[in-house]
């Protein structure tokens, strides 16, 4: 067997070691550039300059290049510095740009080539133009990477700088439209889409992007008809007519007119009497909404209802992945309680809300407020603090969009007026009740066809201060034309806001007309 061991040793000695991959670097700076090749072990190098060709030879084969940059991408990365690259088993030839000088520095693991421009030879006009084009291309990809990483504002700034240098840069204009849209600046996004379409007419992605944005932000009117039944209590038929109208100068008008027809066998009146109520109440809300240049929005609202007139203001601050809203409402008509519908309910409110997209899958919302409830002529019948929030996880974003969420809806009543009726019996004019509802929900939505979509929700709500139970909702939307949408919805829940915990069943239809 000795002869076999000797033969095996000779074979192993004769077999070349597997080539270790070389790592290539190509870095472009303002006035210099650098090319480097390194191995994980030691290597000897030889260099030779022949005109514009720089020949690099190594004592090891190049092997499979590691890292993200292959050798054939070097001229693209070092445009105007390296015009071409040739390579073989253990050699690399760099074809240098006109007027480019190369200083080679070797080390035990490889070499680095520092590229500079010869002071005696000013770069040709073509090389300068190529330099500028290469820098613009790098800046564009930087902006794209910022967008993909969620840093939309710095990406927008970089894209605006690029367009200031070259207003006919269609690629940067199209990306700017997406950045403005993601930041909620839809008017600026529409203008960017228009410019990009002038530069690249009929580009499908631009046509589709602009059409979807116009569809979402178009002036529109909406009619909602709902039927709501609270078990062992009232029946309501609710009609709501609302709309949005663009006024120009980044300002729009929103409005909503609501009418409720109520049938109930026993309703508590302000003086304590219990009597049937079969009637209707209406309320009107109109608001001016102004979008500011720095991603902020102001909303000034006016409210009107029989025996009630009020106003409100809110302000919104938008970040790359978050929104914060704060405001107040004074004498806002409130139909949350049956007593408020019957006797002119009103609410004064201070609030703050924050939403944040934590990642591609996680989102968080938090909010808090202070409320004071009253009836016509009596502003302070109950006071409370509210706390709301949700934590949502997206299960999948392709196909049916599915998510699970934890939702908190809490109201803590600090004061509630108690009185006596004409017979000396105690009663509560406005029965605000403490609730602390913790709910788990599963949501699914998707398109059945190009113009028909559905959404479904199922969950369970646990009220730590009251009764608990299942909840669910389903909706269906159909767009028979670009400017027309029809919808149907139905839901089951508990009326915890009223403090009754009675089951509430509702159904409704919607008609939206865009113009």
């Amino acid at each position: 067997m000795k002869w076999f061991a000797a033969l095996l040793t000779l074979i192993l000695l004769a077999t070349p070691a597997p080539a270790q991959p070389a790592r290539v670097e190509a870095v472009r700076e303002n006035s210099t550039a650098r090319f480097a090749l390194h191995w994980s072990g030691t290597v000897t190098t030889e260099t030779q300059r022949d005109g514009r060709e720089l020949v690099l030879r190594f004592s090891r084969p190049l092997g499979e290049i590691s890292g993200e940059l292959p050798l054939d991408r070097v001229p693209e990365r070092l445009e105007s510095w390296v015009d071409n690259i040739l390579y073989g088993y253990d050699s690399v030839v760099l074809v240098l740009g006109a007027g480019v000088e190369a200083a080679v520095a070797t080390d035990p693991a490889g070499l680095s080539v520092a590229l500079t421009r010869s002071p005696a030879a000013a770069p040709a006009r073509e090389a300068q133009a190529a330099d500028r084009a290469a820098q613009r291309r790098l800046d564009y990809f930087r902006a794209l990477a910022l967008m993909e990483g969620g840093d939309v504002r710095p990406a927008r700034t970089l894209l605006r700088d690029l367009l200031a240098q070259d207003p006919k840069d269609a690629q940067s204009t199209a990306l700017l439209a997406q950045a403005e849209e993601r930041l909620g600046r839809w008017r600026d996004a529409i203008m960017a889409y228009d410019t990009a379409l002038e530069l690249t007419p009929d580009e499908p992605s631009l046509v589709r992007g602009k059409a979807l944005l116009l569809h979402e932000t178009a002036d529109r009117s909406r009619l909602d008809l709902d039927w709501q039944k609270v078990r062992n209590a009232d029946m309501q038929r609710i009609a709501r007519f609302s709309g949005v109208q663009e006024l120009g100068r980044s300002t729009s008008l929103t409005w909503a007119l609501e009418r409720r027809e109520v049938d109930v066998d026993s309703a508590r009146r302000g003086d304590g009497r219990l009597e049937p109520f079969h009637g209707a109440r209406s309320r009107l809300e109109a608001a001016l909404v102004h979008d500011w240049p720095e991603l902020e929005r102001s909303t000034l609202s006016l409210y009107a209802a029989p025996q009630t007139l009020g106003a409100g203001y809110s302000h919104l601050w938008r970040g790359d992945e978050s929104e914060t809203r704060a405001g107040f409402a004074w004498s806002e008509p409130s139909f949350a309680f049956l007593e408020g519908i019957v006797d002119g309910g009103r609410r004064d409110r201070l609030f703050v809300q924050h939403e944040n997209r934590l990642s591609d899958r996680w989102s968080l919302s938090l909010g808090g407020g202070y409320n004071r409830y009253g009836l016509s002529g009596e502003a302070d019948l109950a006071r409370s603090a509210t706390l709301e929030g949700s934590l949502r996880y997206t299960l999948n974003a392709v196909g049916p969009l599915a998510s699970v969420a934890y939702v908190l809806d809490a109201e803590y009543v600090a004061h509630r007026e108690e009185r006596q009726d004409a017979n000396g019996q105690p009663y509560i004019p406005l029965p605000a009740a403490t609730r602390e509802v913790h709910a788990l929900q599963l949501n699914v939505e998707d398109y059945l066809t190009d113009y028909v979509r559905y959404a479904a929700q199922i969950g369970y709500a646990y009220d730590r201060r009251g009764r608990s139970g299942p909840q669910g909702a389903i909706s269906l939307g159909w767009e028979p034309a670009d400017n027309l949408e029809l919808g149907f919805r139905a839901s089951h829940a508990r009326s915890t806001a009223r403090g009754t915990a009675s089951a509430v069943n509702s159904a409704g239809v919607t008609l939206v007309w865009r113009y």
Side-chain angles (χ1 to χ4, degrees):
M1 298 295 293
K2 292 183 179 179
W3 65 268
F4 178 77
L7 179 61
L8 181 60
T9 301
L10 289 175
I11 292 173
L12 291 174
L13 291 174
T15 303
Q20 296 182 349
R23 182 174 182 83
V24 61
E25 294 179 72
V27 179
R28 179 192 183 92
E29 298 176 353
N30 291 334
S31 58
T32 61
R34 182 170 63 87
F35 172 81
L37 267 174
H38 286 94
W39 281 259
S40 58
T42 58
V43 63
T44 57
T45 61
E46 296 180 13
T47 63
Q48 179 182 347
R49 177 73 181 265
D50 184 7
R52 292 171 54 194
E53 295 183 354
L54 178 63
V55 182
L56 310 174
R57 295 188 180 91
F58 307 94
S59 61
R60 289 190 174 194
L62 296 175
E64 182 180 352
I65 299 298
S66 65
E68 299 181 355
L69 180 68
L71 282 171
D72 54 9
R73 295 286 301 277
V74 169
E76 177 185 342
R77 183 68 63 87
L78 300 180
E79 187 173 356
S80 83
W81 294 94
V82 175
D83 288 346
N84 198 6
I85 187 169
L86 307 171
Y87 53 93
Y89 175 70
D90 60 356
S91 302
V92 174
V93 179
L94 297 178
V95 181
L96 304 178
V100 173
E101 296 293 333
V104 180
T106 61
D107 56 69
L111 55 77
S112 296
V113 181
L115 303 174
T116 58
R117 302 218 184 264
S118 172
R125 182 173 301 175
E126 294 80 2
Q128 290 178 328
D131 257 356
R132 290 192 295 269
Q135 187 61 48
R136 285 196 300 270
R137 190 155 44 250
L138 288 175
D139 287 342
Y140 170 82
F141 284 111
R142 276 181 55 209
L144 183 61
L146 287 169
M147 289 269 291
E148 292 175 347
D151 298 319
V152 185
R153 281 205 231 197
R156 182 185 63 162
T157 300
L158 187 55
L159 290 167
R160 285 183 168 180
D161 290 342
L162 285 172
L163 292 172
Q165 301 169 23
D166 182 9
K168 295 186 178 181
D169 183 349
Q171 196 175 31
S172 296
T173 305
L175 190 59
L176 178 63
Q178 297 178 38
E180 300 286 15
E181 183 176 353
R182 285 182 57 177
L183 291 171
R185 299 172 57 87
W186 64 268
R187 299 175 182 88
D188 297 279
I190 291 294
M191 290 191 291
Y193 275 123
D194 287 339
T195 303
L197 283 168
E198 289 176 4
L199 298 171
T200 53
D202 301 325
E203 166 59 35
S205 62
L206 297 174
V207 172
R208 188 185 318 111
K210 180 184 175 182
L212 290 174
L213 186 55
L214 285 174
H215 184 267
E216 293 172 2
T217 59
D219 293 343
R220 60 193 178 274
S221 295
R222 173 172 174 151
L223 177 63
D224 291 278
L225 301 174
D226 287 277
W227 294 263
Q228 176 180 292
K229 173 62 178 173
V230 180
R231 184 181 300 167
N232 300 322
D234 56 281
M235 172 70 182
Q236 296 188 25
R237 294 172 295 278
I238 307 168
R240 181 180 175 87
F241 190 39
S242 59
V244 179
Q245 178 68 50
E246 180 72 11
L247 300 179
R249 298 182 179 272
S250 300
T251 303
S252 59
L253 170 68
T254 67
W255 50 272
L257 176 63
E258 180 181 311
R259 175 181 171 84
R260 293 195 180 209
E261 296 180 0
V262 180
D263 290 305
V264 61
D265 295 333
S266 179
R268 178 78 66 180
R269 304 307 298 260
D271 58 5
R273 289 178 294 121
L274 286 172
E275 60 183 27
F277 180 83
H278 304 281
R281 291 289 186 267
S282 300
R283 64 178 177 180
L284 172 67
E285 177 180 346
L288 289 174
V289 182
H290 182 77
D291 290 303
W292 300 96
E294 295 305 318
L295 305 181
E296 297 180 21
R297 172 178 292 176
S298 297
T299 303
L300 178 64
S301 303
L302 294 175
Y303 313 111
Q307 304 174 328
T308 306
L309 185 65
Y313 175 80
S314 66
H315 198 83
L316 180 143
W317 297 264
R318 181 180 285 111
D320 290 347
E321 301 292 340
S322 66
E323 286 187 0
T324 302
R325 183 170 175 257
F328 72 91
W330 170 77
S331 194
E332 175 187 13
S334 175
F335 289 174
F337 304 97
L338 178 61
E339 293 76 6
I341 300 175
V342 174
D343 282 320
R346 52 169 290 177
R347 177 177 67 169
D348 302 327
R349 181 167 66 123
L350 294 171
F351 67 91
V352 61
Q353 299 166 335
H354 179 76
E355 297 180 8
N356 198 349
R357 184 186 177 204
L358 303 177
S359 68
D360 290 341
R361 292 184 178 268
W362 288 98
S363 60
L364 173 71
S365 68
L366 291 171
Y370 175 79
N371 307 281
R372 187 177 70 166
Y373 297 101
L375 298 174
S376 176
E378 298 180 281
D380 190 9
L381 294 176
R383 299 177 214 151
S384 70
T386 54
L387 181 63
E388 57 190 27
S390 67
L391 180 63
R392 185 173 302 277
Y393 178 75
T394 301
L395 297 172
N396 65 304
V398 179
L401 176 61
S403 64
V404 292
Y406 160 75
V407 180
L408 170 66
D409 177 20
E411 182 168 14
Y412 304 97
V413 177
H415 165 76
R416 189 172 65 176
E417 190 80 12
E418 293 188 8
R419 295 181 177 175
Q420 290 185 346
D421 62 17
N423 298 321
Q425 297 298 317
Y427 75 95
I428 299 170
L430 202 61
T434 293
R435 69 180 186 276
E436 186 181 302
V437 181
H438 304 264
L440 287 177
Q441 298 175 352
L442 172 64
N443 300 270
V444 180
E445 58 182 277
D446 197 11
Y447 278 85
L448 296 175
T449 68
D450 289 343
Y451 304 105
V452 179
R453 68 182 185 278
Y454 74 90
Q457 177 203 101
I458 188 170
Y460 190 86
Y462 165 70
D463 187 353
R464 195 173 68 87
R465 306 295 293 269
R467 294 179 59 186
S468 307
Q471 58 179 214
I474 188 169
S475 65
L476 189 67
W478 174 45
E479 296 185 51
D482 290 340
N483 61 344
L484 187 65
E485 180 179 349
L486 301 173
F488 166 80
R489 59 188 171 274
S491 66
H492 170 82
R494 291 186 177 272
S495 59
T496 53
R498 296 185 177 193
T500 66
S502 296
V504 179
N505 296 310
S506 64
V509 294
T510 298
L511 171 65
V512 179
W513 177 41
R514 297 178 174 87
Y515 46 88

